[in-house]
Amino acid sequence: MAKTISRDDLKAKIHRKDDLLLVATLPAPAYHHHHLPGAINLPPESVTSLAAQILPDKNAEIVVYCASPT
């Protein structure tokens, strides 16, 4: 089940060191220049082909973010 969390909620989760997988969906150049610490990248053009490999645990808490301001 997907839900949206606020930036403040994400900041709190990171600060508490919650067990989560942080995934950036950014083009490679953007990821290399600007990503949150500990985030792995799943470029938008590769989501379909790489998601199952990179995100094998379907029960894990996964937080996905992109460059959108929302």
Coordinates of all heavy atoms in Angstrom, one line a residue:
M1 N 0.8 -1.2 0.0 CA 0.0 0.0 0.0 C 0.9 1.2 0.0 O 1.7 1.4 0.9 CB -0.9 0.0 1.2 CG -1.7 1.2 1.4 SD -2.7 0.9 2.9 CE -3.8 2.2 2.7
A2 N 0.7 2.1 -1.0 CA 1.5 3.3 -1.1 C 0.8 4.5 -0.4 O -0.4 4.6 -0.4 CB 1.7 3.7 -2.5
K3 N 1.6 5.3 0.3 CA 1.1 6.5 0.9 C 2.2 7.6 0.8 O 3.3 7.3 0.6 CB 0.7 6.3 2.4 CG 1.8 6.0 3.3 CD 1.3 5.9 4.7 CE 2.5 5.9 5.7 NZ 2.1 6.0 7.1
T4 N 1.7 8.8 0.9 CA 2.6 9.9 0.8 C 3.0 10.4 2.2 O 2.1 10.4 3.1 CB 1.9 11.1 0.0 OG1 1.6 10.6 -1.3 CG2 2.8 12.3 -0.1
I5 N 4.3 10.7 2.4 CA 4.7 11.3 3.7 C 5.3 12.6 3.4 O 5.8 12.9 2.3 CB 5.7 10.4 4.4 CG1 7.0 10.2 3.7 CG2 5.1 9.0 4.7 CD1 8.1 9.5 4.5
S6 N 5.3 13.4 4.4 CA 5.9 14.8 4.2 C 7.4 14.7 4.4 O 8.0 13.8 4.8 CB 5.3 15.7 5.3 OG 5.8 15.3 6.6
R7 N 8.0 15.8 4.0 CA 9.5 15.9 4.1 C 9.9 15.9 5.6 O 10.9 15.2 6.0 CB 10.0 17.2 3.5 CG 9.9 17.3 2.1 CD 10.4 18.6 1.5 NE 10.3 18.6 0.0 CZ 10.4 19.6 -0.7 NH1 10.7 20.8 -0.2 NH2 10.3 19.5 -2.0
D8 N 9.0 16.5 6.5 CA 9.3 16.4 7.9 C 9.2 15.0 8.4 O 10.0 14.6 9.3 CB 8.4 17.3 8.7 CG 8.7 18.8 8.4 OD1 9.8 19.2 8.1 OD2 7.7 19.6 8.6
D9 N 8.2 14.2 8.0 CA 8.1 12.8 8.4 C 9.3 12.0 7.9 O 9.8 11.2 8.7 CB 6.8 12.2 7.8 CG 5.6 12.7 8.5 OD1 5.7 13.3 9.6 OD2 4.5 12.5 7.9
L10 N 9.8 12.3 6.7 CA 11.0 11.6 6.2 C 12.2 11.9 7.0 O 13.0 11.1 7.4 CB 11.2 11.8 4.7 CG 12.5 11.2 4.1 CD1 12.5 9.7 4.3 CD2 12.6 11.6 2.7
K11 N 12.3 13.2 7.3 CA 13.5 13.7 8.1 C 13.5 13.0 9.5 O 14.5 12.6 10.0 CB 13.4 15.2 8.3 CG 14.6 15.8 9.0 CD 14.5 17.3 9.1 CE 15.6 17.9 9.8 NZ 15.6 19.4 9.9
A12 N 12.3 12.9 10.1 CA 12.2 12.2 11.4 C 12.5 10.7 11.3 O 13.2 10.2 12.2 CB 10.7 12.4 11.9
K13 N 12.1 10.1 10.3 CA 12.4 8.6 10.1 C 13.9 8.5 9.9 O 14.5 7.5 10.5 CB 11.7 8.1 8.8 CG 10.2 7.9 9.0 CD 9.6 7.4 7.7 CE 8.2 6.9 7.9 NZ 8.0 5.7 8.7
I14 N 14.6 9.3 9.2 CA 16.0 9.2 9.0 C 16.7 9.5 10.3 O 17.6 8.8 10.7 CB 16.5 10.2 7.9 CG1 15.9 9.7 6.5 CG2 18.0 10.3 7.8 CD1 16.1 10.7 5.4
H15 N 16.3 10.5 11.0 CA 16.9 10.9 12.3 C 16.7 9.8 13.3 O 17.7 9.5 14.1 CB 16.2 12.2 12.8 CG 16.8 12.6 14.1 ND1 18.0 13.2 14.3 CD2 16.3 12.5 15.4 CE1 18.3 13.5 15.5 NE2 17.2 13.1 16.2
R16 N 15.6 9.1 13.3 CA 15.4 7.9 14.2 C 16.1 6.7 13.8 O 16.1 5.7 14.5 CB 13.9 7.6 14.3 CG 13.1 8.6 15.1 CD 11.7 8.0 15.4 NE 11.0 7.6 14.2 CZ 10.1 8.2 13.5 NH1 9.8 9.5 13.9 NH2 9.5 7.7 12.5
K17 N 16.6 6.7 12.6 CA 17.3 5.6 12.0 C 16.3 4.4 11.8 O 16.6 3.3 12.1 CB 18.5 5.2 12.7 CG 19.5 6.3 12.7 CD 20.8 5.9 13.4 CE 21.7 7.1 13.4 NZ 23.0 7.1 13.7
D18 N 15.1 4.8 11.4 CA 14.1 3.7 11.1 C 14.6 2.8 10.0 O 15.4 3.2 9.2 CB 12.8 4.4 10.6 CG 12.0 5.1 11.7 OD1 12.4 5.1 12.8 OD2 10.9 5.5 11.3
D19 N 14.1 1.6 10.1 CA 14.6 0.6 9.1 C 13.8 0.8 7.8 O 12.6 0.4 7.7 CB 14.3 -0.8 9.6 CG 14.9 -1.9 8.8 OD1 15.8 -1.6 7.9 OD2 14.4 -3.1 8.9
L20 N 14.4 1.5 6.9 CA 13.7 1.8 5.6 C 14.7 1.8 4.5 O 15.9 1.9 4.7 CB 12.9 3.1 5.7 CG 13.7 4.4 5.9 CD1 14.2 5.0 4.7 CD2 12.8 5.4 6.7
L21 N 14.2 1.6 3.3 CA 15.0 1.7 2.1 C 14.7 3.0 1.4 O 13.5 3.2 1.0 CB 14.8 0.5 1.2 CG 15.6 0.4 -0.1 CD1 17.1 0.4 0.2 CD2 15.2 -0.9 -0.8
L22 N 15.7 3.9 1.2 CA 15.5 5.2 0.6 C 15.9 5.1 -0.9 O 17.0 4.7 -1.2 CB 16.3 6.2 1.3 CG 16.1 7.7 1.0 CD1 14.6 8.1 1.3 CD2 17.0 8.5 1.9
V23 N 14.9 5.4 -1.7 CA 15.1 5.2 -3.2 C 14.9 6.5 -3.9 O 13.8 7.1 -3.8 CB 14.2 4.1 -3.8 CG1 14.4 4.0 -5.3 CG2 14.4 2.8 -3.1
A24 N 15.9 7.0 -4.6 CA 15.8 8.2 -5.4 C 15.5 7.7 -6.9 O 16.1 6.8 -7.4 CB 17.1 8.9 -5.4
T25 N 14.5 8.3 -7.4 CA 14.2 8.1 -8.8 C 14.6 9.3 -9.6 O 13.8 10.1 -10.1 CB 12.7 7.8 -9.0 OG1 11.9 8.8 -8.5 CG2 12.3 6.5 -8.4
L26 N 15.9 9.4 -9.8 CA 16.5 10.5 -10.5 C 17.3 10.1 -11.7 O 17.9 9.0 -11.6 CB 17.4 11.3 -9.5 CG 16.8 11.8 -8.2 CD1 17.9 12.3 -7.3 CD2 15.8 12.9 -8.5
P27 N 17.4 10.9 -12.7 CA 18.4 10.6 -13.7 C 19.8 10.5 -13.1 O 20.1 11.2 -12.1 CB 18.3 11.7 -14.7 CG 16.9 12.3 -14.4 CD 16.7 12.1 -13.0
A28 N 20.6 9.6 -13.6 CA 21.9 9.4 -13.1 C 22.7 10.7 -12.7 O 23.3 10.8 -11.7 CB 22.8 8.5 -13.9
P29 N 22.8 11.6 -13.7 CA 23.6 12.9 -13.3 C 23.0 13.6 -12.1 O 23.8 14.1 -11.3 CB 23.5 13.7 -14.6 CG 23.2 12.7 -15.7 CD 22.4 11.7 -15.1
A30 N 21.7 13.7 -12.0 CA 21.1 14.4 -10.9 C 21.4 13.6 -9.6 O 21.6 14.3 -8.6 CB 19.6 14.5 -11.1
Y31 N 21.3 12.3 -9.6 CA 21.6 11.5 -8.4 C 23.0 11.7 -8.0 O 23.2 11.9 -6.8 CB 21.3 10.0 -8.7 CG 21.8 9.1 -7.6 CD1 20.9 9.0 -6.5 CD2 23.0 8.5 -7.7 CE1 21.3 8.1 -5.4 CE2 23.4 7.6 -6.6 CZ 22.6 7.5 -5.5 OH 23.0 6.7 -4.5
H32 N 23.9 11.7 -8.9 CA 25.3 11.9 -8.5 C 25.6 13.3 -7.9 O 26.5 13.4 -7.0 CB 26.3 11.7 -9.7 CG 26.3 10.2 -10.1 ND1 26.8 9.2 -9.3 CD2 25.9 9.6 -11.2 CE1 26.7 8.1 -9.9 NE2 26.1 8.3 -11.1
H33 N 24.9 14.3 -8.3 CA 25.1 15.6 -7.7 C 24.2 15.9 -6.5 O 24.7 16.7 -5.6 CB 24.8 16.7 -8.8 CG 25.8 16.7 -9.9 ND1 27.1 17.1 -9.7 CD2 25.7 16.2 -11.2 CE1 27.7 17.0 -10.9 NE2 26.9 16.4 -11.7
H34 N 23.0 15.3 -6.4 CA 22.1 15.7 -5.3 C 21.3 14.5 -4.9 O 20.3 14.2 -5.6 CB 21.2 16.8 -5.7 CG 21.9 18.0 -6.3 ND1 22.6 18.9 -5.5 CD2 22.0 18.5 -7.5 CE1 23.1 19.8 -6.2 NE2 22.8 19.6 -7.4
H35 N 21.6 13.8 -3.9 CA 20.8 12.7 -3.3 C 20.9 12.7 -1.8 O 21.9 13.2 -1.3 CB 21.1 11.4 -4.0 CG 22.4 10.8 -3.6 ND1 23.6 11.1 -4.3 CD2 22.8 10.0 -2.6 CE1 24.6 10.5 -3.8 NE2 24.2 9.8 -2.8
L36 N 19.9 12.1 -1.2 CA 20.0 12.0 0.3 C 20.9 10.9 0.7 O 21.1 9.9 0.0 CB 18.6 11.7 0.8 CG 17.5 12.7 0.6 CD1 16.1 12.2 1.0 CD2 17.8 14.0 1.3
P37 N 21.6 11.1 1.8 CA 22.6 10.1 2.2 C 21.9 8.8 2.4 O 20.8 8.7 3.0 CB 23.1 10.7 3.6 CG 22.8 12.1 3.5 CD 21.6 12.3 2.7
G38 N 22.6 7.7 1.9 CA 22.1 6.4 2.0 C 21.1 6.0 0.9 O 20.7 4.8 0.9
A39 N 20.7 6.9 0.1 CA 19.7 6.6 -0.9 C 20.3 5.8 -2.1 O 21.5 6.0 -2.4 CB 19.1 7.8 -1.5
I40 N 19.6 4.8 -2.6 CA 20.0 4.1 -3.8 C 19.2 4.8 -5.0 O 18.2 5.4 -4.7 CB 19.8 2.6 -3.7 CG1 18.3 2.3 -3.6 CG2 20.6 2.0 -2.7 CD1 18.0 0.8 -3.7
N41 N 19.8 4.6 -6.2 CA 19.1 5.3 -7.3 C 18.4 4.2 -8.2 O 19.0 3.2 -8.4 CB 20.1 6.1 -8.1 CG 19.4 7.0 -9.1 OD1 18.3 7.4 -8.8 ND2 20.0 7.3 -10.2
L42 N 17.2 4.5 -8.6 CA 16.4 3.8 -9.5 C 16.0 4.7 -10.6 O 14.9 5.3 -10.4 CB 15.3 3.1 -8.8 CG 14.4 2.1 -9.6 CD1 15.2 1.0 -10.3 CD2 13.4 1.5 -8.7
P43 N 16.8 5.0 -11.6 CA 16.4 6.0 -12.6 C 15.1 5.8 -13.2 O 14.7 4.6 -13.4 CB 17.5 5.9 -13.6 CG 18.7 5.2 -13.0 CD 18.0 4.3 -11.9
P44 N 14.4 6.8 -13.5 CA 13.0 6.7 -14.0 C 12.9 5.8 -15.2 O 12.0 5.0 -15.3 CB 12.6 8.1 -14.4 CG 13.5 9.0 -13.7 CD 14.8 8.2 -13.4
E45 N 13.9 5.8 -16.1 CA 13.8 5.0 -17.3 C 14.1 3.5 -17.0 O 14.0 2.7 -17.9 CB 14.8 5.5 -18.4 CG 16.3 5.4 -18.0 CD 16.8 6.5 -17.2 OE1 16.1 7.5 -16.8 OE2 18.0 6.5 -16.9
S46 N 14.5 3.2 -15.8 CA 14.9 1.8 -15.5 C 14.0 1.2 -14.4 O 14.2 0.1 -14.0 CB 16.3 1.8 -15.0 OG 17.2 2.3 -15.9
V47 N 12.9 1.9 -14.0 CA 12.1 1.4 -12.9 C 11.5 0.0 -13.3 O 11.6 -0.9 -12.5 CB 10.9 2.4 -12.6 CG1 9.9 1.7 -11.8 CG2 11.5 3.6 -12.0
T48 N 11.0 -0.1 -14.5 CA 10.4 -1.4 -14.9 C 11.4 -2.6 -14.9 O 11.1 -3.7 -14.4 CB 9.7 -1.3 -16.3 OG1 8.8 -0.2 -16.2 CG2 9.0 -2.6 -16.6
S49 N 12.6 -2.3 -15.4 CA 13.6 -3.4 -15.6 C 14.4 -3.7 -14.3 O 14.9 -4.8 -14.2 CB 14.5 -3.0 -16.8 OG 15.2 -1.9 -16.5
L50 N 14.6 -2.7 -13.4 CA 15.4 -2.9 -12.3 C 14.8 -3.0 -10.9 O 15.4 -3.4 -10.0 CB 16.5 -1.7 -12.2 CG 17.5 -1.7 -13.3 CD1 18.4 -0.5 -13.1 CD2 18.3 -2.9 -13.4
A51 N 13.5 -2.6 -10.8 CA 12.9 -2.6 -9.5 C 12.9 -3.9 -8.8 O 13.2 -4.0 -7.6 CB 11.4 -2.1 -9.7
A52 N 12.6 -5.0 -9.5 CA 12.6 -6.3 -8.8 C 13.9 -6.7 -8.3 O 14.0 -7.3 -7.3 CB 12.0 -7.3 -9.8
Q53 N 15.0 -6.3 -9.0 CA 16.4 -6.6 -8.6 C 16.8 -5.8 -7.4 O 17.4 -6.2 -6.4 CB 17.4 -6.4 -9.7 CG 17.2 -7.3 -10.9 CD 18.0 -6.9 -12.1 OE1 18.9 -6.0 -11.9 NE2 17.7 -7.4 -13.2
I54 N 16.5 -4.5 -7.5 CA 17.0 -3.5 -6.4 C 16.1 -3.6 -5.2 O 16.6 -3.3 -4.1 CB 17.0 -2.1 -7.0 CG1 18.1 -2.0 -8.1 CG2 17.3 -1.1 -6.0 CD1 18.2 -0.7 -8.9
L55 N 14.8 -3.9 -5.4 CA 13.8 -3.9 -4.3 C 13.2 -5.2 -4.1 O 12.0 -5.4 -4.3 CB 12.8 -2.8 -4.5 CG 13.3 -1.4 -4.9 CD1 12.1 -0.6 -5.4 CD2 14.0 -0.8 -3.8
P56 N 14.0 -6.3 -3.7 CA 13.4 -7.6 -3.7 C 12.5 -7.9 -2.5 O 11.6 -8.8 -2.6 CB 14.7 -8.5 -3.6 CG 15.7 -7.7 -2.9 CD 15.4 -6.2 -3.4
D57 N 12.6 -7.2 -1.4 CA 11.8 -7.4 -0.2 C 10.5 -6.7 -0.3 O 10.4 -5.5 -0.1 CB 12.6 -7.0 1.1 CG 11.8 -7.3 2.3 OD1 10.7 -7.8 2.3 OD2 12.4 -7.1 3.4
K58 N 9.4 -7.3 -0.6 CA 8.1 -6.7 -0.8 C 7.5 -6.2 0.5 O 6.6 -5.5 0.5 CB 7.2 -7.7 -1.5 CG 7.6 -8.0 -3.0 CD 6.6 -8.8 -3.6 CE 7.0 -9.3 -5.0 NZ 7.9 -8.7 -5.8
N59 N 8.1 -6.7 1.6 CA 7.6 -6.2 2.9 C 8.4 -5.1 3.5 O 8.0 -4.6 4.6 CB 7.6 -7.4 3.9 CG 6.6 -8.5 3.5 OD1 5.5 -8.2 3.1 ND2 7.1 -9.7 3.5
A60 N 9.4 -4.7 2.9 CA 10.3 -3.6 3.4 C 9.5 -2.2 3.3 O 8.7 -2.0 2.4 CB 11.6 -3.5 2.6
E61 N 9.9 -1.3 4.2 CA 9.4 0.0 4.1 C 10.3 0.7 3.1 O 11.5 0.9 3.3 CB 9.4 0.8 5.4 CG 8.8 2.2 5.3 CD 8.7 2.9 6.6 OE1 9.2 2.4 7.6 OE2 8.1 4.0 6.6
I62 N 9.7 1.2 2.0 CA 10.5 1.8 0.9 C 9.9 3.2 0.8 O 8.7 3.4 0.6 CB 10.3 1.0 -0.4 CG1 10.8 -0.4 -0.2 CG2 11.1 1.8 -1.5 CD1 10.5 -1.3 -1.4
V63 N 10.9 4.2 0.9 CA 10.5 5.6 0.7 C 11.1 6.0 -0.7 O 12.4 5.9 -0.8 CB 11.0 6.5 1.8 CG1 10.7 7.9 1.5 CG2 10.4 6.0 3.1
V64 N 10.3 6.4 -1.6 CA 10.8 6.8 -2.9 C 10.6 8.3 -3.1 O 9.6 8.9 -2.7 CB 9.9 6.1 -4.0 CG1 10.4 6.5 -5.4 CG2 10.0 4.6 -3.9
Y65 N 11.6 8.9 -3.6 CA 11.5 10.4 -3.9 C 12.1 10.7 -5.2 O 12.9 10.0 -5.8 CB 12.2 11.2 -2.7 CG 13.7 11.1 -2.7 CD1 14.5 12.1 -3.4 CD2 14.4 10.1 -2.1 CE1 15.8 12.1 -3.4 CE2 15.7 10.1 -2.1 CZ 16.5 11.0 -2.8 OH 17.8 11.0 -2.8
C66 N 11.7 11.9 -5.7 CA 12.2 12.3 -7.0 C 12.5 13.8 -6.9 O 12.5 14.4 -5.9 CB 11.2 12.0 -8.1 SG 9.6 12.9 -7.9
A67 N 12.7 14.4 -8.1 CA 13.1 15.9 -8.1 C 11.9 16.8 -8.1 O 12.1 18.0 -8.0 CB 14.0 16.2 -9.3
S68 N 10.7 16.2 -8.1 CA 9.5 17.1 -8.1 C 9.4 17.8 -6.7 O 9.7 17.2 -5.7 CB 8.3 16.2 -8.3 OG 7.1 16.9 -8.1
P69 N 8.9 19.0 -6.7 CA 8.7 19.8 -5.5 C 7.5 19.3 -4.6 O 7.4 19.7 -3.5 CB 8.5 21.2 -6.0 CG 7.9 21.1 -7.3 CD 8.5 19.8 -7.9
T70 N 6.8 18.3 -5.1 CA 5.6 17.8 -4.4 C 5.9 16.5 -3.8 O 6.8 15.8 -4.2 CB 4.3 17.7 -5.2 OG1 4.6 16.9 -6.3 CG2 3.9 19.1 -5.7

